[in-house]
Amino acid sequence: MSAPAALLSPGPTPVLRHDWQRAELLELFDLPFPELLHRAASVHRQHFDPAEVQVSTLLSVKTGGCPEDCAYCPQAQRYNTGVQAQKLMDTEQVLEKAKQAKAAGASRFCMGAAWRSPKDRDIPKVAEMIREVKALGLETCATLGMLNADHAQALKSAGLDYYNHNLDTAPDFYGEIIHTREYQDRLDTLENVRDAGMKTCSGGIVGMGESREQRAGLLQALANLPAHPDSVPINRLVQVAGTPLHGTTELDPFEFVRTIAVARITMPQSMVRLSAGRESMSDELQALCFAAGANSIFYGEKLLTTGNPDTERDQALFARLGLRPMPLQAQNVHADHRIDVPGSGTVHADITEPTPQCGRAA
Ligand code: SAM
Ligand code: DTB
Ligand code: SF4
């Protein structure tokens, strides 16, 4: 099909739009694959060095036993997935993992908890973790469920740079996936995070049985937030036995790449993260995602409870594709406000170099 001239004209640097219509996004999705990739890659180059990929490491600081019913999630207590509930980790253990992540070349460390929302008594413990991880010279990120304004402020005061809270899917598919909290609750949490002066990390999951229109609806909801999320994780559903979504028909890999490309075009200055699901992707599919404008990954053998490519495989992939980790300075060029990261200059490790954990890339 032919795309409208307005969508195809290269033009000057685009202004950030917050008024995307679903039909416009669907027109992008419908473009011939090479044309869509070309457009996304062009937008990518206007804002980023396409050889640089931001590298984050995840740690589950509180695993399992979650009271929510998210149909994709291995950590929901109500599903029999074999995930053992654990209590909140000690700061010492978290710091050990953060040091390893830094030595392996990560620039951001994201702490996840299987909570609906943190309780008042959890906040000082998490704040201590954040302070100490930040003191290592890492950017800090947390994903702890819904956040009220006071909790958001307390985490900001502890030095939290990013808060991850996903919209997960389109408003019109959401009711098929989660029943224990509303879409509006998610928007409210993101508002509390922004109001506290933290950066937002928000994206979603594809491959949950949603339609293309609903994938477009997810990206529309993200792009039309009052501020584009600084990071946009695009997760491909990791199917876990025992969850209601286990057995869902797999998404066409090219449709996943299209989703990345449309995210890049509609949120040109955001870090678009090729997030969960990489373990089962070929190197070629990941390369297409980077070509379509993905410029962030989770690095390290584990996500929260499921697998991620091992570090040697990622080092080899970076080496084969000529990619390198994005230095913190470059990440903050695109931010609304700069982050004061102690010792940030030391975080610029090259994951293709040998590290205490891993050998040299092939
Ligand atoms: N409990 C908090 C919450 O829900 O906000 C934080 C942790 S939760 C695991 C963070 C995100 O991980 C979810 O919003 C979802 O997008 C993603 N996620 C969870 N399970 C997944 C799966 N099986 N496949 C892909 N993404 C998943
Ligand atoms: C996000 O969007 N994806 C990450 C992170 N934010 C917290 C989590 C993926 C979890 C995949 C399933 C698991 O490992 O439990
Ligand atoms: Fe709980 Fe978060 Fe999993 Fe939902 S996604 S069940 S809130 S841990």
Side-chain angles (χ1 to χ4, degrees), residues 52-68:
E52 289 183 346
V53 176
Q54 189 271 332
V55 175
S56 296
T57 291
L58 259 179
L59 177 68
S60 179
V61 298
K62 196 290 167 208
T63 303
C66 184
E68 301 290 275

Side-chain angles (χ1 to χ4, degrees), residues 128-147:
E128 182 186 60
M129 288 176 194
I130 291 166
R131 265 192 298 274
E132 303 224 3
V133 170
K134 187 156 171 106
L136 296 177
L138 286 160
E139 284 188 318
T140 53
C141 175
T143 181
L144 315 169
M146 293 185 287
L147 222 53

Side-chain angles (χ1 to χ4, degrees), residues 54-57 106-111 130 133-134 136-141 159-162 199 231 271 328-329 331-332 335 339 341-342 344 347:
Q54 189 271 332
V55 175
S56 296
T57 291
S107 61
R108 193 183 304 172
F109 191 69
C110 181
M111 293 158 272
I130 291 166
V133 170
K134 187 156 171 106
L136 296 177
L138 286 160
E139 284 188 318
T140 53
C141 175
L160 189 62
D161 298 312
Y162 290 81
K199 297 186 182 186
S231 290
M271 303 284 175
L328 272 181
Q329 291 79 357
Q331 296 171 39
N332 294 331
I339 310 175
V341 182
S344 62
V347 183

Side-chain angles (χ1 to χ4, degrees), residues 66 70 72-75 112-116 143-146 164-166 168 181 186 204-205 235-240 276 304:
C66 184
C70 313
Y72 49 77
C73 187
Q75 302 200 70
W115 286 327
R116 170 179 165 79
T143 181
L144 315 169
M146 293 185 287
N164 166 244
H165 199 67
N166 291 337
D168 272 350
R181 76 176 74 158
R186 291 178 183 265
I205 311 177
N235 298 278
R236 185 168 79 163
L237 176 68
V238 179
Q239 299 204 12
V240 179
L304 292 172

Side-chain angles (χ1 to χ4, degrees), residues 120-199:
D120 285 348
R121 64 168 185 269
D122 299 320
I123 295 293
K125 295 182 203 164
V126 176
E128 182 186 60
M129 288 176 194
I130 291 166
R131 265 192 298 274
E132 303 224 3
V133 170
K134 187 156 171 106
L136 296 177
L138 286 160
E139 284 188 318
T140 53
C141 175
T143 181
L144 315 169
M146 293 185 287
L147 222 53
N148 66 32
D150 289 346
H151 290 172
Q153 199 52 63
L155 297 179
K156 166 70 181 170
S157 301
L160 189 62
D161 298 312
Y162 290 81
Y163 195 78
N164 166 244
H165 199 67
N166 291 337
L167 294 184
D168 272 350
T169 192
D172 47 307
F173 190 64
Y174 185 83
E176 307 278 318
I177 304 295
I178 298 152
H179 311 93
T180 48
R181 76 176 74 158
E182 302 293 321
Y183 211 75
Q184 187 59 45
D185 294 326
R186 291 178 183 265
L187 298 172
D188 291 347
T189 289
L190 290 172
E191 186 176 0
N192 291 335
V193 171
R194 285 192 306 269
D195 287 352
M198 287 183 285
K199 297 186 182 186

Side-chain angles (χ1 to χ4, degrees), residues 249-285:
T249 305
E250 294 276 344
L251 187 69
D252 175 2
F254 294 129
E255 184 68 9
F256 184 79
V257 180
R258 285 181 185 274
T259 309
I260 297 269
V262 177
R264 167 53 64 217
I265 292 167
T266 51
M267 293 170 276
Q269 295 189 355
S270 303
M271 303 284 175
V272 175
R273 183 172 306 134
L274 174 52
S275 197
R278 280 199 309 120
E279 195 184 30
S280 62
M281 289 180 198
S282 67
D283 285 1
E284 292 82 355
L285 175 55

